[in-house]
């Protein structure tokens, strides 16, 4: 069941959903395309173009107005995860493990990741961290949970890093980051996100490890790319330097809403075509003509 889309309407062909090994197999074959997705409707559109969709914990900032991803609860990831697995039929759906749900021990990570998989029908989870998470990655993979790793800038560690800072821009940092990449691959991660990382380092890691690297603010040499969908659509107020806006959806929404507000105020919406006439067989009840309720003008105090 999890390898296929949920049953659609009768007669609708069932679509084979990509699985974690399908993503790994794309390394060296073709670029991997991915986006974040938080809702069923955007998932249904992105599904036609993407190999995997990530229900990223960035949804806390993008959708729910948090300043960082640190406060995001597991329940929120599960709720949005369910919407995306319902909307997407073909793409692998990967769900982020939020801060505090996996770092404590491999068994805590397993309990929470298993809950995410059972309650959402997603095909993999993502967690942040390199070497320090390799034991947990191995533990989850050995027990049937595909894991995408995430190194470079790891936003859940913002309070330790001291800001959303690009990583590996000093040669002295390279060895540690390369070691992170090697160890998550050895532990069994099926791919690894490289976030906000010096370009030559991302290219070098991509060459060095056997699993696909998914770049975000990293390098065109990565095996795949991901962006936060709202950022690339032009819907976010502020975006990081590495985002290219492929759309201007924020401006389109603004135009639509201001047009609606103007027409409501001018009473030109709804027009006749948006209203229901009485049935021809039914006469309108005889009643006093409707009167508009208007506010009484204020009487002067004097
Ligand atoms: O939460 C997220 O959206 C992510 C991407 C930036 C990779 O982790």
């Amino acid at each position: 069941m999890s390898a296929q889309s949920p049953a659609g309407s009768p007669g609708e062909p069932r679509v084979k959903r990509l699985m974690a090994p399908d993503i790994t197999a794309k390394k060296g074959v073709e670029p991997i395309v991915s986006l974040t997705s938080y809702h069923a409707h955007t998932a249904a559109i992105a599904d036609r173009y993407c190999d995997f969709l990530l229900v990223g914990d960035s949804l806390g900032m993008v959708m729910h107005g948090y300043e960082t991803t640190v406060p995001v609860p597991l329940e929120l990831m599960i709720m949005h995860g369910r919407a995306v697995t319902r909307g997407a039929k073909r793409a692998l759906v990967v769900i982020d493990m939020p801060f505090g749900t996996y770092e404590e021990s491999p068994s805590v990570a397993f309990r929470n990741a298993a809950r995410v998989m059972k309650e959402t029908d997603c095909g993999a989870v993502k967690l942040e961290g390199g070497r320090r998470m390799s034991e947990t990655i191995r533990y989850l993979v050995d027990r049937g949970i595909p894991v995408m790793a995430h190194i470079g800038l790891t936003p859940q560690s913002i309070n330790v890093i001291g800001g959303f800072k690009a990583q590996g821009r000093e040669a002295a940092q390279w060895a540690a980051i390369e070691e992170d990449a090697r160890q998550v691959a050895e532990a069994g991660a099926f791919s690894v996100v490289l976030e906000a990382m010096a370009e030559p380092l991302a290219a070098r890691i991509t060459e060095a490890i056997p699993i696909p690297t998914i770049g975000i603010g990293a390098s065109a040499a990565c095996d795949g790319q991901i962006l936060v969908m709202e950022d690339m659509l032009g819907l976010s107020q502020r975006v990081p330097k590495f985002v290219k806006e492929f759309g201007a959806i924020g401006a389109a929404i603004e135009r639509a809403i201001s047009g609606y507000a103007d027409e409501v105020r001018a009473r030109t919406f709804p027009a006749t075509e948006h209203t229901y006439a009485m049935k021809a067989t039914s006469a309108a009840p005889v009643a006093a003509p409707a009167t508009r309720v208007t506010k009484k003008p204020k009487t002067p105090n004097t």
Side-chain angles (χ1 to χ4, degrees):
M1 176 71 183
S2 59
Q4 306 246 298
S5 66
S9 41
E12 195 178 287
R14 285 166 75 89
V15 181
K16 163 99 171 61
R17 197 190 277 285
L18 293 176
M19 301 175 86
D22 300 318
I23 302 299
T24 308
K26 288 183 187 290
K27 186 171 179 102
V29 176
E30 60 179 10
I32 298 162
V33 182
S34 62
L35 283 170
T36 63
S37 178
Y38 314 135
H39 335 91
H41 55 31
T42 54
I45 299 170
D47 190 45
R48 298 200 279 273
Y49 305 94
C50 291
D51 299 305
F52 75 85
L53 298 177
L54 171 69
V55 185
D57 62 352
S58 54
L59 66 81
M61 299 173 71
V62 175
M63 301 278 308
H64 293 273
Y66 291 121
E67 287 290 314
T68 73
T69 55
V70 171
V72 173
L74 191 64
E75 286 67 27
L76 209 54
M77 300 307 302
I78 291 174
M79 197 172 73
H80 285 277
R82 275 198 201 118
V84 172
T85 56
R86 284 194 289 257
K89 303 254 180 285
R90 179 188 163 272
L92 170 71
V93 177
V94 182
I95 300 188
D96 249 341
M97 298 300 296
F99 179 69
T101 63
Y102 62 94
E103 302 89 334
E104 188 179 338
S105 69
S107 57
V108 167
F110 179 79
R111 197 166 314 124
N112 287 320
R115 181 174 167 211
V116 167
M117 293 200 66
K118 282 156 98 81
E119 293 186 22
T120 67
D121 204 24
C122 71
V125 299
K126 177 167 82 59
L127 50 81
E128 295 184 6
R131 280 158 292 166
R132 67 186 168 85
M133 292 315 303
S134 58
E135 185 193 349
T136 297
I137 293 170
R138 189 168 290 114
Y139 190 93
L140 297 186
V141 175
D142 283 351
R143 286 160 181 76
I145 300 183
V147 178
M148 177 176 284
H150 182 155
I151 63 170
L153 172 61
T154 47
Q156 291 174 12
S157 304
I158 185 90
N159 293 302
V160 174
I161 299 168
F164 292 99
K165 293 180 184 157
Q167 304 293 299
R169 297 185 76 198
E170 314 235 0
Q173 300 172 332
W174 278 34
I177 300 172
E178 282 185 75
E179 192 53 26
D180 280 341
R182 248 191 305 277
Q183 289 206 22
V184 297
E186 271 166 25
F190 73 93
S191 63
V192 56
V193 168
L194 309 183
E195 179 167 356
M197 183 182 289
E199 194 280 334
L201 175 59
R204 183 172 151 126
I205 289 173
T206 301
E207 280 277 315
I209 62 171
I211 58 170
T213 58
I214 309 297
I216 175 164
S219 168
C222 287
D223 299 299
Q225 302 293 330
I226 189 164
L227 282 174
V228 169
M229 191 187 296
E230 281 71 3
D231 290 353
M232 59 81 74
L233 288 178
L235 194 52
S236 302
Q237 304 281 325
R238 284 177 58 236
V239 293
K241 164 192 162 71
F242 56 73
V243 171
K244 175 171 173 181
E245 293 185 345
F246 287 82
I249 301 303
I253 292 177
E254 174 105 35
R255 268 197 308 279
I257 294 177
S258 79
Y260 166 73
D262 288 349
E263 291 196 23
V264 169
R265 292 199 172 101
R267 295 191 187 286
T268 53
F269 176 82
T272 313
E273 66 267 30
H274 308 121
T275 61
Y276 297 96
M278 291 294 290
K279 285 184 176 166
T281 49
S282 170
V286 181
T291 47
R292 188 183 301 286
V293 179
T294 45
K295 271 192 172 175
K296 273 190 193 158
K298 274 191 183 160
T299 41
N301 288 337
T302 50

